[in-house]
Amino acid sequence: MIPFRLPVGVFFLGGSAAALLLAPSAFAQAAPVSTDAPVKSLGMVTVTSGQPTSLPTQIPTTIEGVTREQIEQTINATDSEDALKYLPSLLVRKRYIGDYNHAILSSRASGTGNSARSAVYADGILLSNYLGNGIANGTNYAPRWGLVTPEEIERVDVLYGPFSAAYPGNSVGAVVDYVTRMPTQFEAHAKISAFNQAFKLYGTDSHFGGSQASASLGSKSGDWSWFINANRTQSAGQPLTFTTKALSNVVSAVNPVTGAVAGLNTRNQPWLLIGGATQYRTEQEHVKLKVAYDFSPTVRASYTLGYWDNSAQNRSDSYLRNAAGAPVYSGNVSINGRAYTLGPTDFGVSNEALTHLMHGLSIKSNTRGVWDWEVAASLYDYQKDQIRAATTAQPGALGGGAGTLQDQGGTGWNNLALKGIWRPDGLQGAHIVDVGYQQDSYKLRILKSSVLGNWMNDGAGTMLSDVGGRTQLRSVYAQDAWSFAPKWKTVLGARIENWHTSSGFTWFGAGNPANTAYAARSENAVSPKAALSYQWAADTTLKASTGRAVRFPTVGELYGATATVNSQYINDPNLKPEKSWTTELTAEKDLGNAVLRVTFFTENTRDALYAQQTFDPMAGSNISRVQNVARIQTQGLEVAYNGNDVFKKGLSLGGSVTYADSRIKENSGFVLTPGDTVGKYQPRVPVWRATALVSYRFDQAWTGTFAARYSGKQFSSLDNSDVNGFAYQGTSKYFVTDVRFHYKVNKQWTAAFGIDNLNNYQYWNFHPYPQRTFMAELKVDL
């Protein structure tokens, strides 16, 4: 991201950007630098800010970041994940504004189907959902982005790779930490925004949009600080799935209908698309309360309460019309003289009611002396999590009828962390040692029942399936940042983990032979880490980092055998942990008013955990089976540039290019025939991707931004047989441009207008992404 000059006290952390901010030219006309600013030397970023962060005090590898000021001026941010939009090698699979169940983060060597290969935190509280991986079990495991709103964010820090011993093996892709606001004086903010897109695809041609309203209030009085934010989002998304039919060979003239759209599937086989489905209308309410108390100038206690409520309707539309022009949803029909049968759930409808709570409590010292410490605990609770779906056909289903109820109430996780920092020779000494103990516990239960009366509101009937279990990860770690010689620094560390799973079960009704209670399992792992930094010249730093990461199976992968009306997930209680060795070599050069970084990275993963989805045309459903892929190897190069006042004052340039060759090297499993995945690309990891952002501050009031995002060809299947990415269920290349204009009316009022996907590119990641989307917002700060 492009760094901006920051006011006193604003903390910014961001790899190459950090070097730029600390270069003299970056502060030529800025206010004096706060003593809490991050210190960068020898390729290391030292976190010394009093502002809490989950990152360790010494960062051994690539860091990127974005600040509140950058987000407000340059990014059309409607959801917290939008802050990552232009960072190198990162992509969040956000399908529409307010996407709460598929917005998975991908990184250099991890695709958008692997949510358990990255770690997302907010003020050190875990938002990543390690109950499962990706989209499976009739549910989702995307990070809980909705527990942070863009208006709360003070900054976002991203640590690339598993090079810190302070994080579990899920950090193999990236660690994202949102640091949210905590006022030092009274402040109040309010913002309203609206958005709209014209979406045209297959038989759908309509507008989809919504609005947001956000308000926050905070202050500091004596030893007490507090901040509260409330946000409401109303959003209607475009169709995300489509009802399809394989071409029929049966001749028929019974009940002729029109409106079907002929197309090709991901394997370039002809099919018919007969309706748009999974059109969400979501209403989300979010409230965040933060309270802090300073026991002394160096010891602070903090409590966070997060509340998120979502009411969503999922609807489908049929493209088919009978002779009278009425939509057709079920029964036997004739399309182009061929016979087809429309099942009662081909155009499904469902409602979701979700209420999630997050608690976080920490006590932390910040003496900057010989010892500092922290005790932190958090809890994430699915207080209510229900999906109600009709099993009868439209239009009758819109008024009631039989259905199913999926209930995940009581599901959740809790985390405990004890951390210490030892500086035997003081803050500027040769050694800074981080040590800690962590315990992460997860509980999953998915109970699915029939509803015989009215699927919209009647109680549960006969149990259809009941699956669940528990996992727990206990870890100790230590790492030492050692300045062992002039111009040289190393970070050496290790993480020791004990993983335990218990209470696993799959139950499908009395007497069902598939009913299983699984035995407990326990495994241990050791993950060493090492980094080395050398100051080659006054303006050039060389760095090398390597680390092992062990990603243990989730509860959902082990025990979550479930089925919906159009999909089935097959679990495996004997899955092996995923083990990765990741290495990167970096050269970073300060160009005065810009920073250039070049990073070579490689990753070798054994027993990679993958849930591969295939479509069974005979059953008309998607089948997902989780498995271990023996070995995946990734090698790549990442180039990033950030500059301020480039060519002329007020012009900022930033961008990145990433090349990644990620291939399956060994795999005993297969899709259709043995060996059909070996040598193929890892799913959803493109060979090329790039970002670019140009921002110009015309004067003190106006800032304009033009940005672009690119991703090359990629695949969704392990055998790379989905050669047509520009189709429903495909994963396509894309080139998307965005614009934003930010206007500061006066000291209190600001307005912004933006367009995402300005060039209206139609692209896919199984689901279609939004088309050209207009946004406008108005904000007041008191």
Side-chain angles (χ1 to χ4, degrees):
M1 287 298 302
I2 299 169
F4 287 96
R5 297 185 177 90
L6 304 179
V8 176
V10 172
F11 177 97
F12 181 85
L13 176 64
S16 57
L20 175 60
L21 283 173
L22 294 170
S25 62
F27 287 100
Q29 299 180 14
V33 181
S34 166
T35 57
D36 280 347
V39 178
K40 184 177 187 299
S41 63
L42 301 178
M44 305 288 295
V45 178
T46 303
V47 180
T48 59
S49 172
Q51 196 70 330
T53 176
S54 75
L55 296 177
T57 57
Q58 296 286 311
I59 309 300
T61 187
T62 301
I63 300 292
E64 294 288 347
V66 57
T67 67
R68 172 172 54 91
E69 184 182 24
Q70 291 173 286
I71 295 170
E72 291 179 353
Q73 294 194 4
T74 67
I75 301 176
N76 298 319
T78 54
D79 299 284
S80 61
E81 61 266 36
D82 291 327
L84 311 177
K85 191 182 296 185
Y86 306 113
L87 294 181
S89 304
L90 299 184
L91 167 69
V92 178
R93 186 196 184 205
K94 175 183 166 183
R95 306 167 302 166
Y96 63 97
I97 292 173
D99 190 353
Y100 58 93
N101 56 9
H102 280 61
I104 294 173
L105 173 66
S106 66
S107 53
R108 291 169 175 168
S110 302
T112 53
N114 281 323
S115 59
R117 296 192 97 238
S118 59
V120 180
Y121 297 87
D123 300 318
I125 300 173
L126 183 67
L127 297 185
S128 284
N129 186 343
Y130 299 144
L131 295 166
N133 184 38
I135 310 301
N137 322 115
T139 184
N140 73 90
Y141 302 104
R144 306 290 85 183
W145 305 106
L147 268 298
V148 177
T149 64
E151 291 70 45
E152 295 178 70
I153 298 172
E154 187 64 34
R155 71 179 191 273
V156 186
D157 308 326
V158 181
L159 167 65
Y160 288 71
F163 304 121
S164 172
Y167 296 102
N170 308 90
S171 66
V172 62
V175 179
V176 178
D177 184 38
Y178 287 85
V179 177
T180 63
R181 299 175 63 82
M182 181 56 82
T184 58
Q185 60 186 13
F186 176 79
E187 60 181 59
H189 314 271
K191 188 178 85 169
I192 56 173
S193 60
F195 44 88
N196 188 271
Q197 66 160 319
F199 185 87
K200 186 174 183 179
L201 181 65
Y202 300 136
T204 301
D205 186 357
S206 187
H207 285 260
F208 301 92
S211 62
Q212 281 187 330
S214 178
S216 56
L217 194 68
S219 187
K220 179 175 174 61
S221 178
D223 295 327
W224 288 94
S225 305
W226 59 274
F227 181 80
I228 186 169
N229 172 263
N231 181 281
R232 179 177 175 84
T233 299
Q234 295 178 301
S235 178
Q238 75 278 7
L240 300 174
T241 63
F242 297 88
T243 306
T244 63
K245 293 293 180 181
L247 295 187
S248 171
N249 293 320
V250 180
V251 177
S252 174
V254 178
N255 298 326
V257 295
T258 59
V261 179
L264 299 175
N265 66 15
T266 60
R267 291 167 174 79
N268 278 328
Q269 299 166 336
W271 64 0
L272 296 178
L273 298 108
I274 60 174
T278 319
Q279 292 178 231
Y280 282 111
R281 290 186 176 273
T282 177
E283 295 186 4
Q284 300 176 29
E285 295 178 347
H286 161 273
V287 178
K288 174 77 68 62
L289 171 66
K290 295 175 59 179
V291 179
Y293 179 74
D294 296 326
F295 290 100
S296 72
T298 60
V299 178
R300 166 175 284 194
S302 301
Y303 171 72
T304 299
L305 170 65
Y307 168 89
W308 179 77
D309 183 85
N310 178 31
S311 297
Q313 293 184 339
N314 169 7
R315 296 295 182 262
S316 303
D317 288 324
S318 174
Y319 299 156
L320 304 180
R321 297 294 185 268
N322 60 21
V328 178
Y329 293 98
S330 62
N332 296 321
V333 298
S334 171
I335 302 175
N336 298 328
R338 303 290 178 173
Y340 295 87
T341 299
L342 308 180
T345 59
D346 277 354
F347 302 95
V349 297
S350 64
N351 294 341
E352 300 187 23
L354 317 175
T355 301
H356 293 187
L357 292 177
M358 178 184 77
H359 301 269
L361 178 65
S362 68
I363 304 177
K364 181 177 183 178
S365 74
N366 187 29
T367 67
R368 305 186 190 180
V370 175
W371 280 99
D372 272 310
W373 53 270
E374 180 181 5
V375 179
S378 62
L379 170 70
Y380 193 96
D381 177 41
Y382 285 35
Q383 187 177 69
K384 181 179 181 180
D385 196 297
Q386 295 184 347
I387 302 177
R388 293 175 173 271
T391 55
T392 55
Q394 291 196 68
L398 298 178
T404 61
L405 169 62
Q406 178 174 287
D407 191 345
Q408 293 189 77
T411 288
W413 61 86
N414 61 78
N415 312 94
L416 173 67
L418 311 177
K419 303 178 184 180
I421 305 171
W422 180 40
R423 309 177 186 93
D425 304 313
L427 187 63
Q428 304 302 323
H431 291 272
I432 299 180
V433 180
D434 285 272
V435 296
Y437 167 82
Q438 296 169 350
Q439 178 175 292
D440 306 308
S441 303
Y442 303 90
K443 175 188 175 183
L444 173 70
R445 186 185 184 191
I446 307 174
L447 173 62
K448 190 170 185 179
S449 307
S450 64
V451 178
L452 297 180
N454 187 334
W455 66 273
M456 292 182 176
N457 48 43
D458 281 358
T462 303
M463 184 268 288
L464 300 176
S465 64
D466 191 7
V467 302
R470 297 173 180 265
T471 62
Q472 185 177 80
L473 184 66
R474 292 179 293 179
S475 314
V476 293
Y477 70 88
Q479 62 186 17
D480 179 16
W482 177 24
S483 301
F484 62 91
K487 298 185 179 181
W488 290 90
K489 181 172 283 190
T490 187
V491 177
L492 301 173
R495 184 179 183 88
I496 303 173
E497 298 172 310
N498 171 258
W499 174 76
H500 181 74
T501 180
S502 62
S503 306
F505 66 94
T506 54
W507 190 260
F508 301 98
N512 193 311
N515 293 343
T516 307
Y518 299 99
R521 288 177 57 189
S522 184
E523 296 198 26
N524 300 314
V526 178
S527 299
K529 321 280 184 177
L532 182 66
S533 177
Y534 174 60
Q535 194 79 39
W536 173 269
D539 60 358
T540 305
T541 301
L542 304 179
K543 297 184 289 184
S545 304
T546 189
R548 184 178 192 250
V550 179
R551 202 279 271 182
F552 292 96
T554 63
V555 187
E557 291 169 315
L558 295 166
Y559 310 128
T562 56
T564 66
V565 294
N566 60 1
S567 66
Q568 182 180 358
Y569 181 84
I570 302 173
N571 66 306
D572 185 349
N574 300 311
L575 290 170
K576 301 174 185 177
E578 177 181 289
K579 298 167 284 291
S580 300
W581 271 102
T582 304
T583 299
E584 73 168 39
L585 304 174
T586 294
E588 189 173 86
K589 185 174 180 63
D590 184 351
L591 303 175
N593 62 343
V595 169
L596 176 66
R597 175 176 59 82
V598 179
T599 299
F600 167 78
F601 58 90
T602 180
E603 180 178 294
N604 192 62
T605 300
R606 292 193 176 274
D607 298 318
L609 288 159
Y610 253 96
Q612 180 64 58
Q613 178 172 283
T614 59
F615 181 73
D616 184 344
M618 300 302 295
S621 64
N622 295 308
I623 308 296
S624 294
R625 180 187 298 274
V626 65
Q627 60 185 287
N628 285 114
V629 175
R631 187 166 74 92
I632 298 176
Q633 185 178 64
T634 304
Q635 293 182 331
L637 187 71
E638 181 180 272
V639 180
Y641 172 89
N642 290 286
N644 250 356
D645 294 334
V646 181
F647 303 124
K648 66 178 301 183
K649 183 176 175 59
L651 179 63
S652 298
L653 304 177
S656 66
V657 177
T658 302
Y659 168 81
D661 183 14
S662 186
R663 296 179 186 260
I664 300 169
K665 296 297 186 179
E666 303 171 25
N667 187 21
S668 59
F670 56 90
V671 177
L672 294 176
T673 59
D676 63 2
T677 66
V678 177
K680 302 302 173 62
Y681 288 104
Q682 181 184 176
R684 298 185 183 178
V685 177
V687 175
W688 290 98
R689 71 186 88 177
T691 63
L693 191 148
V694 181
S695 181
Y696 182 64
R697 181 170 292 179
F698 298 94
D699 52 36
Q700 293 300 312
W702 282 98
T703 300
T705 301
F706 178 82
R709 296 169 279 147
Y710 170 80
S711 177
K713 183 178 176 62
Q714 52 192 302
F715 301 92
S716 290
S717 63
L718 288 169
D719 65 352
N720 295 177
S721 59
D722 51 324
V723 294
N724 180 15
F726 291 95
Y728 170 47
Q729 301 183 0
T731 305
S732 70
K733 66 178 183 179
Y734 61 82
F735 176 74
V736 176
T737 59
D738 311 317
V739 295
R740 180 173 174 85
F741 294 94
H742 183 269
Y743 178 61
K744 190 170 183 62
V745 181
N746 54 38
K747 185 177 180 180
Q748 286 79 34
W749 290 90
T750 57
F753 171 78
I755 305 173
D756 274 356
N757 195 358
L758 175 67
N759 53 321
N760 205 29
Y761 199 91
Q762 293 187 4
Y763 61 117
W764 298 80
N765 195 330
F766 191 95
H767 309 281
Y769 278 108
Q771 297 178 12
R772 184 184 297 118
T773 304
F774 295 85
M775 307 176 190
E777 63 186 54
L778 182 65
K779 183 182 179 184
V780 60
D781 300 293
L782 301 178

